[in-house]
Amino acid sequence: MEFATILLIAIGLAMDAFAVSISGGATLREGRLRWAVIAGVLFGGFQAGMPVLGWLGGVGLASLVGTYGPWIAFLLLVLIGGKMIAEAVRGDGESIRFENGAAVLLLLAVATSIDALAVGVSFAVLDTPIALPAITIGIVTFAFSAAGVLLGSAFGHIMGRKAGIVGGVILVAIGLRILFEHLFN
């Protein structure tokens, strides 16, 4: 497989993590650079690791990922996004914040990397070595996620509490997109 194709796949896979990073960055008040690195490492690490797992699992895993993966991603993203919206509207919280701990980021990293698991299965079926694609996917996702946190942080300072609503809507939209792609493809 050509590197240009691998790079395009990596960019496509990084888009969900980028959008989520913007959402999380919008709630940051301090430690922007630190959280950009943390988000980049978590999202990039999961996006790099999931294709390897998919590749190792091969075709046997394809049916499980194809059936349940999109539903799991949809549920995680809608629950987290819905909570962000509800708390921002009620004003009883700062919405889900990266500062609340790595558990939020971990859930989001899993939810946004499930499609990378399926890509890994595809690489196995195509008999494509996984090392270069996994490294490329991880590096691209790291860069996009870190940049997303920084952009989201700048956006959040301008929008204030409304950023929590926008971030929640983005997460719900990503979840719906994943589900609709699964149902109608």
Side-chain angles (χ1 to χ4, degrees):
M1 184 174 291
E2 292 184 25
F3 184 72
T5 302
I6 293 170
L7 187 59
L8 288 173
I9 290 169
I11 291 169
L13 289 173
M15 286 296 111
D16 287 351
F18 178 65
V20 169
S21 295
I22 290 172
S23 301
T27 65
L28 289 176
R29 300 285 184 253
E30 55 188 48
R32 293 172 15 154
L33 187 58
R34 183 174 138 250
W35 284 105
V37 171
I38 291 169
V41 167
L42 276 174
F43 287 122
F46 270 89
Q47 288 283 20
M50 288 294 207
V52 173
L53 290 177
W55 187 81
L56 291 172
V59 179
L61 188 60
S63 63
L64 178 66
V65 171
T67 303
Y68 298 111
W71 287 98
I72 293 167
F74 166 74
L75 288 173
L76 288 173
L77 290 168
V78 167
L79 288 172
I80 293 167
K83 187 173 194 281
M84 283 178 73
I85 294 167
E87 288 182 353
V89 167
R90 286 192 310 253
D92 64 351
E94 290 288 327
S95 74
I96 293 181
R97 300 171 58 99
F98 284 174
E99 295 106 327
N100 286 347
V104 170
L105 275 171
L106 188 61
L107 283 174
L108 292 170
V110 170
T112 59
S113 65
I114 290 174
D115 53 348
L117 186 70
V119 167
V121 173
S122 300
F123 285 133
V125 169
L126 296 171
D127 199 27
T128 301
I130 196 63
L132 180 61
I135 291 167
T136 305
I137 290 166
I139 290 170
V140 167
T141 303
F142 173 87
F144 275 53
S145 298
V149 170
L150 297 174
L151 286 171
S153 179
F155 170 73
H157 292 298
I158 295 167
M159 292 289 294
R161 196 173 75 191
K162 293 177 186 170
I165 296 170
V166 173
V169 169
I170 289 171
L171 294 182
V172 170
I174 292 169
L176 287 171
R177 191 200 81 218
I178 289 169
L179 182 63
F180 289 149
E181 285 177 358
H182 171 67
L183 292 174
F184 299 111
N185 280 334

